[in-house]
């Protein structure tokens, strides 16, 4: 099968841009026939059609339609595996889960840095109590871009790079269940980032990441970019969860019983449940918003028989599980890393599993805690207060696992271990500040204030992002085959830990002192706090640059080859050679032991990698 | 076994001592500074909720800090050597105890929160929607104030005083006030910080919040839900004044509003403005 | 940049595993689809109960836009018969004769496409505009996305038929792929029943 054109990122961009203009033209033609367009200054139909065609062009340019078309023509099922080396394979559709993991790492990482840059600009504006740096509209767009970009990208921050790369390796599989869908979940992500950023070209959007209607119905065409980008991410999340779940449930190697499954894989599994079930609701909520803006329906407009509450309910029905889509992978990462550097079995493994599944289950029953003062269902508030506070029980289990695993440990303070320990500190503050928001009387004070904002930055940045860096320092040597500089890693850790806390802890006080979220104007007496926070935030930004510097130094200049198992971990993913061969395992391994049996006398090896040749061990 | 329990005893002692120091500090030193103060009965309830929650969190934070601090110092590998720790997989009594304690704390907090919300505070100053389940005693005589959020300002209508509309909010002291919060365009959130009131202003909804004012004083009003360009500018200062002061303020407002009254739409619990949508 | 990579085409390695993956994937896709349409079900019940400004039913309070029950029944019948035909094909594949599965599936495909066509035709002759109240909004959203999902399901069914036509596969493999498809299509059938009851019955 010879191809005339080599499909890669270049063709994707070309087809995407061509698709956009074609779609915009089609959209204008469709809308031109309808008289409701008369008297409006904007063409949302054209913008949406442009994005739709751009997506089709982007995916076609990457070659995603070749296989479905061939299947429609009745050609047999199967999938191609490229035996290519070199960087070119990262810039086109690949069905190798290891290539996709690395694509995710750098792709999502780049957008994370863009989101971080937005945060720096926001903090610049907040140096003074009045608008100085940016006009009010631009400031709101920055807030929206920061929030939406971060939520979109951090949703895939751990499951994207590490879930895709390591789940097959950890369960003894050669690939993911649906390799093409896996590739698509990745390629939709940078497209979503680009679509979101294109909002700038249409005067931005004023709603922040929550996109509340009817403000969203009123907003200008930048809102369409928000809606479309978030829809792409919703599809990507749903498919990623479906794929990971199918992989874990069907492709475990023989002997990989449920009690031998690495705890990270359990974290991925419980997150996947949320991704499969919650993202479709987000998609539906956004599609209704899209219809409001293009087809003139009135889902969210009270004056025409709709309701703003409908959006709030649907959005938070997705939004709260989303919070745990962000948190659960972090739990999995730190519990995976602690046993390696304490040289102890994971303490309370079954309880940890129960905790993560419990969090996943409960998270579907708490969404109205975001709406305690909205006037919805005030009679149900005690119920949502109870369910929300109940979530602290399974979350608390993760802390108990940490406590038990540290007991009588032989700790090594490596960089991944430091990030994991900091996770507990940050998540403790993040979690406990959540109690103030779950209790209705104190929520009346804190709702919608900087207290809330500090709370979720402690859980997402302090929890998820710290866990992401723990995983990065732990696993990147396996993924790239190169050692990351430890000294720079420690500098990165300490600056990030200190300045993260200096940035966000004072914001609890700002919230208590009546500073609402998403304002560019605040009371003059809050300037001291805000200037302190801004200076710390800039240092936090520099800390991120230290990490980027470490990546460039270690991966481009130093290039020290990594050992196969530098941390002396029992994990199955460390038993394969570095770099990982194309098919992961020569033979599907047979799992013979527990991944965390450190210090257990007579513990069997975790797996027999070549059942045919390796000598059998007792038990 | 003896060594093991000596670790446990040291950790326990440090935790108990630090908790014994922290809790009085929280209640008597930090507590009076916690928001939103005591200008209204509801604000007092929220302040005590904030104090109680901080006091409940303190032992938890201290347990984790003391334990992790101790473990980080004591349970470390000597000199970068790789040696195995104790292969303990769990401890059923500890696990059970932890589950029982966390569940009991959580249940107690939820029950207490519900009691404060429903029985003693009648909504604790939060918006309760159009039909509050448990209005406070004397709700019939309450001062009715309609709060109208609009891009980007707050206005107030007083149905008991000819439904005039004012641009400022004055309230009488020692009075039960019934806020009816609504919006003319997008969702706002009426946040009277010192009064301990927060209620979303949603188009087409009459969101009710009760508050018992006490002494005279001033309070700040903000918008706590992103509502577009000048969201941060929906900022006013209101006054709680004496009953006589309120009467004279109201009289002057009524006089000033007399000419405007005929342009006001008829008073209603909520309004349905023309949809501001983009159509196209 | 490296030279043109060598690409090896790997056939589905273990048909038994492949079938299990597709089957599980089908259940998960059905769950996701259910949650997607539950959003519209919720929107229907919620907006109907709120009836804000009295405009649930139509542009004036107390008025309800007309519904085109005939085409509604036609779409429901097409979808349900199609679902039953796929079940029939499955019984046929599991039985000894296996003769009828192909025509049954082909019939199911045609009926599914007919449902799509009827819905599209109905939009041209709706009798009410999209802006006329909450019902009109939910009607447009629910039926619109249901039609798109139905069309996607028909593409899947076509793939099964085309594959079997081109390379006559062993019956167990066809049976498994039809079984997986049937799960998803039956889910959409349930969604259509709910849609019919609510959009044409309850209104
Ligand atoms: Cu939540
Ligand atoms: Cu506002």
């Amino acid at each position: 099968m010879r191809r005339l054109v080599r499909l890669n990122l270049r063709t994707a961009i070309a087809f995407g841009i061509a698709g956009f203009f074609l779609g915009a033209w089609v959209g204008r033609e469709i809308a031109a026939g309808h008289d409701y367009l008369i008297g409006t200054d904007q063409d949302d139909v054209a913008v949406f059609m442009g994005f739709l065609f751009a997506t089709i062009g982007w995916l076609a340019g990457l070659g995603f339609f070749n296989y479905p078309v061939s299947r429609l023509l009745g050609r047999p099922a199967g999938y191609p595996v490229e035996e290519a080396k070199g960087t070119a394979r990262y810039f086109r559709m690949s069905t190798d889960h290891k290539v996709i993991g690395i694509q995710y790492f750098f792709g999502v990482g780049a957008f994370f840095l863009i989101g971080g840059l937005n945060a720096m600009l926001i903090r610049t504006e907040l140096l003074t109590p009045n608008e100085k740096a940016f006009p009010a509209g631009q400031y709101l767009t920055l807030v929206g871009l920061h929030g939406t970009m971060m939520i979109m990208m951090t949703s895939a921050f751990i499951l994207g790079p590490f879930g895709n790369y390591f789940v097959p390796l950890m369960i003894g599989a050669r690939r993911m269940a649906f390799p093409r869908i896996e590739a698509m979940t990745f390629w939709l992500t940078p497209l979503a980032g680009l679509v979101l950023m294109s909002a700038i070209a249409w005067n931005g959007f004023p709603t922040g990441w929550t996109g509340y209607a009817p403000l969203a119905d009123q907003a200008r065409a930048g809102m369409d970019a928000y809606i479309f980008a978030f829809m792409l991410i919703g599809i990507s999340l749903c498919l990623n969860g479906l794929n990971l779940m199918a992989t874990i449930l069907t492709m475990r190697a023989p002997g990989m019983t449920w009690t031998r499954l690495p705890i990270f894989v359990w974290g991925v599994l419980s997150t996947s449940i949320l991704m499969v079930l919650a993202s479709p609701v987000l998609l539906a909520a956004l599609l209704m918003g899209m219809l409001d803006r293009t087809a003139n329906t009135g889902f969210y407009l009270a004056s025409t028989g709709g309701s703003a509450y409908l959006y709030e309910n649907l959005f938070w029905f997705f939004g709260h599980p989303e919070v745990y889509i962000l948190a659960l992978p972090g739990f999995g990462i730190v519990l995976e890393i602690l046993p390696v550097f304490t040289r102890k079995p994971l303490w309370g493994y079954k309880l940890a599993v129960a905790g993560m599944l419990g969090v996943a289950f409960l998270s579907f029953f708490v969404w109205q805690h975001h709406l305690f003062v909205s006037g919805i269902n005030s009679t149900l508030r005690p119920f949502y207060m109870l369910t929300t506070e109940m979530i602290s029980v399974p979350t608390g289990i993760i802390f108990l696992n940490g406590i038990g695993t540290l007991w009588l440990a032989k700790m090594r303070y490596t960089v991944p271990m430091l990030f994991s320990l900091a996770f507990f500190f940050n998540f403790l503050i993040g979690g406990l500040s959540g109690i103030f928001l779950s209790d209705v009387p104190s929520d009346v004070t804190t709702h919608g204030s900087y207290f809330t904002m500090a709370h979720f930055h402690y859980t997402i940045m302090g929890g998820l992002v710290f866990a992401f860096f723990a995983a990065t320092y732990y696993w990147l040597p396996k993924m790239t085959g190169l050692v990351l500089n430890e000294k720079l890693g420690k500098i990165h850790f300490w600056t990030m830990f200190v300045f993260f806390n200096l940035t966000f802890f004072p914001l609890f006080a700002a919230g208590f002192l009546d500073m609402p979220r998403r304002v560019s104007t605040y009371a003059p007496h809050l300037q001291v706090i805000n200037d302190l926070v801004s200076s710390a935030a800039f240092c936090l930004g520099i800390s991120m640059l230290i990490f980027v510097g470490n990546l460039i130094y270690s991966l481009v200049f130093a290039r020290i080859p990594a050992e196969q198992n530098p941390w002396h971990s029992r994990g199955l993913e460390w038993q394969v050679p570095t770099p990982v061969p194309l098919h992961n395992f020569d033979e599907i391994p047979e799992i013979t032991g527990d991944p965390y049996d450190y210090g257990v006398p007579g513990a069997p090896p975790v797996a027999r990698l070549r059942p045919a040749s390796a000598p059998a061990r007792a038990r | 076994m003896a060594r093991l329990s000596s670790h446990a005893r040291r950790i326990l002692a440090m935790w108990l001592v630090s908790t014994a120091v922290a809790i009085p500090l929280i209640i008597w030193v930090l507590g009076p500074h916690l928001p939103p103060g005591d200008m209204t009965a509801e604000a007092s309830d929220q302040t005590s909720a904030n104090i109680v929650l901080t006091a409940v969190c303190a032992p938890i934070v201290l347990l984790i800090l003391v334990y992790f601090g101790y473990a980080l110092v004591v349970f470390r590998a000597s000199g970068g050597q790789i040696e195995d720790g104790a292969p303990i997989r769990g401890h059923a009594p500890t696990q059970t105890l932890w589950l029982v304690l966390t569940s009991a704390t959580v249940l107690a907090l939820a029950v207490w929160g519900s009691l404060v919300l429903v029985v003693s505070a009648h909504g604790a100053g939060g918006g309760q929607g159009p039909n509050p389940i448990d209005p406070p005693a004397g709700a019939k005589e309450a001062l009715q104030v309609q709060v109208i959020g609009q891009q980007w300002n707050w206005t107030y209508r007083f149905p008991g005083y000819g439904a005039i509309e004012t641009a400022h909010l004055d309230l009488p002291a020692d009075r039960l006030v019934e806020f009816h919060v609504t919006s003319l365009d997008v969702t706002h959130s009426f946040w009277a910080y010192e009064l301990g009131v927060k209620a979303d202003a949603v188009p087409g909804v009459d969101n009710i919040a009760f508050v018992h004012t006490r002494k005279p004083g001033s309070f700040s009003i903000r918008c706590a839900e992103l509502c577009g360009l000048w969201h941060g500018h929906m900022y006013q200062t209101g006054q709680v004044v004496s009953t006589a002061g309120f009467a004279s303020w109201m009289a002057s407002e009524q006089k000033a509003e007399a000419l405007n009254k005929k342009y006001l739409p008829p008073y209603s619990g909520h309004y349905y403005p023309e949809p501001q949508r983009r159509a196209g | 940049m490296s030279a043109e990579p060598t690409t090896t085409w790997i056939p589905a390695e273990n048909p038994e595993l492949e079938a299990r993956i597709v089957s599980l994937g089908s259940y998960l896709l059905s769950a996701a689809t259910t949650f997607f349409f539950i959003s519209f079900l919720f929107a229907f019940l919620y907006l109907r109960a709120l009836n804000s400004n009295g405009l649930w039913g139509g542009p004036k309070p107390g008025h309800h836009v007309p519904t085109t029950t005939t085409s509604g029944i036609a779409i429901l019948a097409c979808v349900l018969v199609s679902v039953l035909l796929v079940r029939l094909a499955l019984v046929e594949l599991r039985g000894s004769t296996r003769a009828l599965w192909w025509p049954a599936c082909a019939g199911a495909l045609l009926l599914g496409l007919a449902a799509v066509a009827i819905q599209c035709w109905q939009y041209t002759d709706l009798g009410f505009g999209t802006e006329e109240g909450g019902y009109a909004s939910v009607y447009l959203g629910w039926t619109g996305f249901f039609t798109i999902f139905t069309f996607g399901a028909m593409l899947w069914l076509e793939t099964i038929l085309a594959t079997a036509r081109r390379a006559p596969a062993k019956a167990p493999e066809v049976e498994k792929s039809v079984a997986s498809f049937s799960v998803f299509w039956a889910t959409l059938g349930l969604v259509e029943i709910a849609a019919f009851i609510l959009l044409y019955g309850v209104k």
Side-chain angles (χ1 to χ4, degrees), chain A residues 335-358:
Chain A
L335 293 186
E336 183 70 35
I337 287 176
L338 277 191
V340 177
F341 297 108
T342 53
R343 301 297 297 174
K344 286 188 65 201
L346 176 61
W347 196 92
Y349 172 91
K350 285 183 185 161
L351 205 58
V353 172
M356 293 201 278
L357 293 175

Side-chain angles (χ1 to χ4, degrees), chain A residues 487-560:
Chain A
K487 190 167 243 163
L488 281 171
K490 285 202 167 146
I491 297 173
H492 168 217
F493 168 75
W494 283 111
T495 48
M496 184 170 164
F497 181 67
V498 169
F499 291 114
F500 164 75
N501 279 288
L502 282 180
T503 302
F504 290 102
F505 204 81
L507 290 180
F508 285 118
F512 264 161
L513 295 171
D514 93 334
M515 182 160 167
R517 284 169 68 183
R518 299 155 161 175
V519 292
S520 50
T521 311
Y522 55 85
H525 66 266
L526 291 172
Q527 191 175 3
V528 180
I529 291 185
N530 275 289
D531 286 357
L532 173 72
V533 167
S534 288
S535 344
F538 299 142
C539 297
L540 186 58
I542 293 171
S543 167
M544 292 295 143
L545 292 183
I546 296 175
F547 170 70
V548 174
N550 191 359
L551 272 192
I552 295 172
Y553 170 77
S554 304
L555 301 185
V556 180
F557 296 107
R559 294 192 73 83
I560 305 165

